[in-house]
Amino acid sequence: MSKLESLIRQTEIIKLAKRKPFDWETLDDLLTRKEEELDRKLRISKRTFHRDLVDIASLFGIQISFDFKTALYAIDPESSSEQHEKLLEAFDMLQVFGPRGKTPPYLLFEERKAIGTEYLSPIIHAIKVQKKIQIQYEKYWLWESEQRILKPLALKEFKQRWYVLTLDEKDKFKVFGLDRIKELQVLNETFTPSKTIDFRAYFRDVFGIINSEESPVEEVILTFTEFKGRYIKSLPLHPSQEILLDDGQVLTIRLRVKIAYELIAEILSHGDEVRVDAPERLKELVREKAENILHSIIK
DNA sequence: GATAGAATTAAGCAGTGAGG
DNA sequence: CCTCACTGCTTAATTCTATC
């Protein structure tokens, strides 16, 4: 009954609950099957199951409760958020790797450099206890690196990279990519944030991580080819994505975002499978880039 | 590496209370 | 007023940790 086993058990409960509401027998059957499959002791008493439900609520933020009308356990929809999908994914990976962490030869991971995930846990700790961090940061455009002392506020993921959101020495809001941090130290110096920022609101209208306060939120309308459209539907570009037209020929979507470098880069990455319909300013920006490509101009 | 003691984890049981 | 989910408490077992 190791910690890992209870985590596996709890993720199985969550996965079952996500598929459909279930009763005790169904869960017991599932755990019995999984017990053989994974060669771990997973079957539990009803008492432990109830304790697990409490743990799941606090650990994953997913509330599973009993519905007397159907006599089934189900997830309370308002309590579960998409954020926890990541946690579930992580535990799934943990199971694949096994306790000894060896990668089977039939799993081929994308080869990439370290993306700084090793800093995640110290930074999370620093944010929680409000301690300053000192980082050695490698700039993209310089050979040299700089040392900074920062007040960490939050972590944000974008396109498989992690960024730490901070206030710098002058209490200015700054974002740093974890993959460019060469060294990190949590200082034994606490701070009280000079301002509280509602990050969900802060990033709601932003594509990417750079938020230029002054630029307005605009309605961006994009049309994709049918093939690309399927991809965009399954992996929305932005939470604000709405489908305006999906007729089997093309897919037209609307985003409500600020127009910035990262949005343009995203659009260009889809090549000739996307068309900018609005606004005119974005159309012009993309056209300019496209013409530069055509004439082999780099800027 | 072994061992003792501490800490964690789960089971069982009894009692409570909500829903029908 | 009956059933069954749920909770608190105790006990047993297992895992972790510190120490030699």
Side-chain angles (χ1 to χ4, degrees):
Chain A
M1 269 137 277
S2 67
K3 227 163 182 132
L4 186 60
E5 273 166 356
S6 41
L7 277 178
I8 292 173
R9 195 178 62 225
Q10 286 166 17
T11 56
E12 287 303 331
I13 295 173
I14 296 170
K15 282 193 273 180
L16 173 63
K18 277 191 181 293
R19 277 202 301 275
K20 56 170 196 220
F22 62 96
D23 58 13
W24 168 248
E25 272 75 39
T26 313
L27 177 69
D28 195 46
D29 282 354
L30 176 82
L31 290 178
T32 311
R33 265 186 289 122
K34 285 280 168 185
E35 193 170 77
E36 295 203 5
E37 188 181 313
L38 301 170
D39 194 30
R40 292 181 180 284
K41 200 166 188 291
L42 295 178
R43 291 191 69 191
I44 48 163
S45 70
K46 253 187 165 172
R47 181 69 191 86
T48 309
F49 168 61
H50 287 123
R51 269 169 27 83
D52 274 354
L53 293 184
V54 176
D55 288 348
I56 287 168
S58 66
L59 190 62
F60 295 86
I62 297 171
Q63 195 76 46
I64 298 171
S65 42
F66 187 79
D67 179 10
F68 279 93
K69 292 203 177 69
T70 55
L72 296 169
Y73 291 90
I75 296 178
D76 287 349
E78 70 266 26
S79 72
S80 47
S81 90
E82 292 299 307
Q83 297 289 318
H84 304 102
E85 296 290 332
K86 291 274 162 183
L87 265 174
L88 280 177
E89 266 175 39
F91 286 125
D92 273 344
M93 294 302 273
L94 204 67
Q95 284 186 54
V96 170
F97 285 132
R100 266 158 287 282
K102 50 177 193 263
T103 318
Y106 46 83
L107 283 179
L108 305 174
F109 284 92
E110 187 171 1
E111 282 184 37
R112 59 183 179 208
K113 290 208 172 151
I115 52 172
T117 44
E118 68 268 32
Y119 301 126
L120 281 177
S121 97
I123 293 175
I124 288 170
H125 172 72
I127 292 171
K128 271 192 194 157
V129 299
Q130 303 201 323
K131 284 199 168 154
K132 292 184 185 174
I133 55 172
Q134 179 177 312
I135 62 167
Q136 196 73 34
Y137 192 73
E138 199 178 322
K139 295 180 170 179
Y140 262 141
W141 54 90
L142 287 177
W143 288 72
E144 71 214 65
S145 59
E146 56 173 3
Q147 192 176 66
R148 311 205 58 161
I149 292 178
L150 303 162
K151 301 164 184 172
L153 302 176
L155 284 160
K156 179 171 169 59
E157 190 195 19
F158 179 67
K159 292 232 159 198
Q160 329 229 356
R161 286 188 185 202
W162 282 93
Y163 300 85
V164 59
L165 317 177
T166 65
L167 295 175
D168 71 358
E169 296 85 346
K170 291 169 193 141
D171 267 355
K172 274 195 72 182
F173 184 64
K174 287 270 168 65
V175 177
F176 296 88
L178 295 201
D179 55 336
R180 273 169 284 148
I181 293 177
K182 285 167 80 180
E183 257 183 67
L184 179 133
Q185 225 184 326
V186 178
L187 301 179
N188 201 13
E189 197 182 329
T190 54
F191 68 90
T192 34
S194 57
K195 44 191 159 187
T196 47
I197 302 171
D198 180 354
F199 286 108
R200 280 182 208 286
Y202 187 85
F203 285 108
R204 196 183 50 224
D205 309 322
V206 181
F207 188 86
I209 51 149
I210 298 161
N211 186 2
S212 38
E213 304 269 7
E214 60 278 3
S215 56
V217 180
E218 298 185 54
E219 282 209 350
V220 173
I221 296 175
L222 304 173
T223 296
F224 291 90
T225 59
E226 190 264 341
F227 181 72
K228 197 63 154 185
R230 267 187 268 168
Y231 187 77
I232 299 294
K233 265 192 283 182
S234 69
L235 224 74
L237 293 176
H238 189 263
S240 69
Q241 174 169 322
E242 267 178 74
I243 295 172
L244 298 183
L245 173 70
D246 182 14
D247 62 0
Q249 301 281 322
V250 292
L251 175 79
T252 302
I253 59 162
R254 174 173 57 203
L255 311 172
R256 288 172 209 277
V257 289
K258 295 183 181 182
I259 290 170
Y261 174 80
E262 282 161 308
L263 177 66
I264 297 167
E266 175 71 29
I267 293 170
L268 287 168
S269 77
H270 296 288
D272 61 358
E273 293 172 290
V274 63
R275 183 183 71 216
V276 180
D277 294 336
E280 205 55 46
R281 188 165 75 88
L282 179 64
K283 223 165 159 172
E284 208 43 60
L285 283 166
V286 173
R287 193 202 313 271
E288 194 188 316
K289 294 271 183 197
E291 273 171 10
N292 287 344
I293 294 169
L294 209 59
H295 298 110
S296 304
I297 299 169
I298 53 166
K299 280 194 179 167

